[in-house]
Amino acid sequence: MSSVEILSEHRTFGGTLRYCRHAAAATGVPMRFSLFLPDGPGPFPMVTWLSGLTCTEENFTAKANAYGAASDLEIAILAPDTSPRGEGVADDPGYDLGQGAGFYVDATQAPWKPHFQMETYIVRDLLEAVGAAFPVHAGRRGIMGHSMGGHGALTLALRHPNLFKTVSAFAPIASPTRCPWGRKAFEAYLGADERRWREHDAALLIEAGVAKGRFDDILVEQGLADNFLAEQLKPELLEQAAKAAGQKLTVRRQPGYDHSYFFIATFIADHLAWHAAKLRR
């Protein structure tokens, strides 16, 4: 794995935001990410943000208004791209498949398999590269995300609890096996055997008891004016699963808020404070 290349640096809120690129063995192509670090020697607790469909590392960085709170809390924020990109990387005309829509799984099917290894990229290549290059604390990591990235945050935390001590989500795809976005992506990336899909469904993982004893709480923020709420997101499936498993889950429903970054920017400081308090225990 090659070292991290810093593409640009920007002072903001008493810290530094860096846009970076590195070679990733999992995807076979260079990958981009942004990283905010407060001033000081560190090592800092770090929260990884996973973005939603069509996004890059830029969306959260430019729109979430997160770095003032992160600086005050002395916490780092890592925001990777949502998929591999570039010449020779498979794509699809639809916005919900291919580049910009990696769904944070390791594809097993053609033409996606050679590059769309997003789970391994996030939990291995990205964390190793950032940990080697910057003063972040390997034992104090959280993860959060939005929509497709909320699905990614929940499932990667549940599947890799040794890597992430906290997890929260904004308007996550709660059960991809039971919504159009998830079914389309899983069939393309993982094949027709739906038994394999279950391994990447947050509601089904929680129902199976995967979170029990690993996370004292899981925080979910959901806008009630979200036009994807009923068909794609279905937070009630998370609640039903958590109740069945005896897992604490906090779903906060916010009247009037939609699926946009205006929603995220309103509540991001709450989520960062929630992560920071738990990561510093």
Side-chain angles (χ1 to χ4, degrees), residues 9 36 40 44 51 56 67 72 76-77 101 107 124 132 143 158 180 195 222 270:
E9 293 185 335
F36 173 81
F44 299 102
S51 291
T56 70
Y67 299 131
D72 291 343
I77 306 180
R124 188 191 70 189
I143 190 167
L158 293 169
R195 290 172 297 181
Q222 178 61 62
D270 291 348

Side-chain angles (χ1 to χ4, degrees), residues 8-245:
S8 64
E9 293 185 335
H10 309 276
R11 289 289 294 165
T12 184
F13 289 102
T16 302
L17 173 68
R18 295 175 176 87
Y19 287 95
C20 303
R21 178 171 57 205
H22 72 120
T27 63
V29 295
M31 298 292 292
R32 291 173 58 107
F33 64 87
S34 70
L35 179 70
F36 173 81
L37 287 173
D39 284 350
F44 299 102
M46 182 176 75
V47 177
T48 297
W49 171 271
L50 302 183
S51 291
L53 289 166
T54 76
C55 292
T56 70
E57 76 286 349
E58 175 72 17
N59 295 74
F60 174 84
T61 305
K63 296 180 179 180
N65 195 29
Y67 299 131
S71 182
D72 291 343
L73 294 164
E74 297 185 311
I75 193 167
I77 306 180
L78 170 65
D81 201 350
T82 53
S83 78
R85 301 178 192 269
E87 186 177 353
V89 176
D91 202 5
D92 185 88
Y95 74 94
D96 51 358
L97 190 67
Q99 295 186 36
F103 265 83
Y104 306 103
V105 300
D106 287 349
T108 60
Q109 306 299 303
W112 313 106
K113 184 177 179 179
H115 300 293
F116 280 74
Q117 302 294 308
M118 285 300 293
E119 178 172 11
T120 297
Y121 168 66
I122 297 293
V123 303
R124 188 191 70 189
D125 296 1
L126 178 65
L127 293 182
E128 288 180 1
V130 171
F134 300 102
V136 294
H137 198 303
R140 294 184 177 181
R141 297 191 193 109
I143 190 167
M144 60 181 176
H146 172 233
S147 195
M148 177 187 72
H151 140 75
L154 292 170
T155 56
L156 295 188
L158 293 169
R159 288 168 58 81
H160 304 276
N162 58 313
L163 296 179
F164 304 106
K165 296 187 177 299
T166 58
V167 57
S168 72
F170 287 79
I173 302 173
S175 187
T177 64
R178 290 175 277 185
C179 77
W181 277 340
R183 293 186 65 83
K184 178 180 178 178
F186 283 5
E187 183 169 9
Y189 296 144
L190 303 175
D193 185 354
E194 296 190 19
R195 290 172 297 181
R196 295 208 60 196
W197 303 3
R198 298 176 64 87
E199 301 170 13
H200 304 277
D201 184 305
L204 296 179
L205 289 171
I206 290 172
E207 186 178 296
V210 170
K212 191 79 169 171
R214 298 178 178 181
F215 298 102
D216 62 359
D217 194 8
I218 296 170
L219 176 61
V220 172
E221 208 80 38
Q222 178 61 62
L224 292 182
D226 191 320
N227 58 321
F228 300 115
L229 178 57
E231 183 181 25
Q232 304 282 12
L233 306 178
K234 305 182 180 183
E236 68 276 5
L237 297 179
L238 289 175
E239 292 173 310
Q240 293 166 14
K243 183 177 180 180

